[in-house]
Amino acid sequence: MGLEFPAYVLAALTATGGIAGYARTKSKPSIIAGCAVGLLYGLGGYRIQNNQPHGVELGLLASVVLGGASLPRAIKLRKPVPMMLSAIAAFGLYTFGDAFRKTL
């Protein structure tokens, strides 16, 4: 089991979270952002699984986007959802950042 498993788990978590955010508050940005980040994680996992280039980079990009959007809100609001999103982003940054570092 390589990096594709965490990528698929993060894809499912972020897409499900975006859908849940939309269902709860009718927030279009939640569903768009959640599904977009989930798509990046999923595409990264697919590329990693099939030994195609740039899979790790896509996972890292998704983590940077998620962290950039959620970390300032987590610091400012101190609410559970932004804090959980920031934790997911931190896990992705660590996982895919370490893998990317090893390719340099």
Side-chain angles (χ1 to χ4, degrees):
M1 177 172 50
L3 287 173
E4 66 273 3
F5 182 73
Y8 290 142
V9 169
L10 292 175
L13 284 173
T14 54
T16 303
I19 293 167
Y22 177 77
R24 191 177 45 156
T25 64
K26 300 296 182 213
S27 169
K28 289 181 185 175
S30 290
I31 195 168
I32 292 168
C35 289
V37 171
L39 179 69
L40 285 173
Y41 277 127
L43 183 60
Y46 176 80
R47 293 184 72 84
I48 292 167
Q49 184 178 8
N50 292 305
N51 296 319
Q52 296 175 349
H54 308 300
V56 171
E57 290 85 348
L58 283 170
L60 186 57
L61 174 65
S63 299
V64 167
V65 169
L66 182 60
S70 64
L71 193 58
R73 285 185 14 229
I75 292 170
K76 181 180 177 184
L77 301 176
R78 301 212 184 261
K79 291 194 174 183
V81 171
M83 291 174 75
M84 182 57 75
L85 290 172
S86 297
I88 290 170
F91 174 76
L93 285 168
Y94 174 77
T95 302
F96 296 109
D98 186 51
F100 180 73
R101 180 187 57 83
K102 289 178 182 176
T103 64
L104 298 178

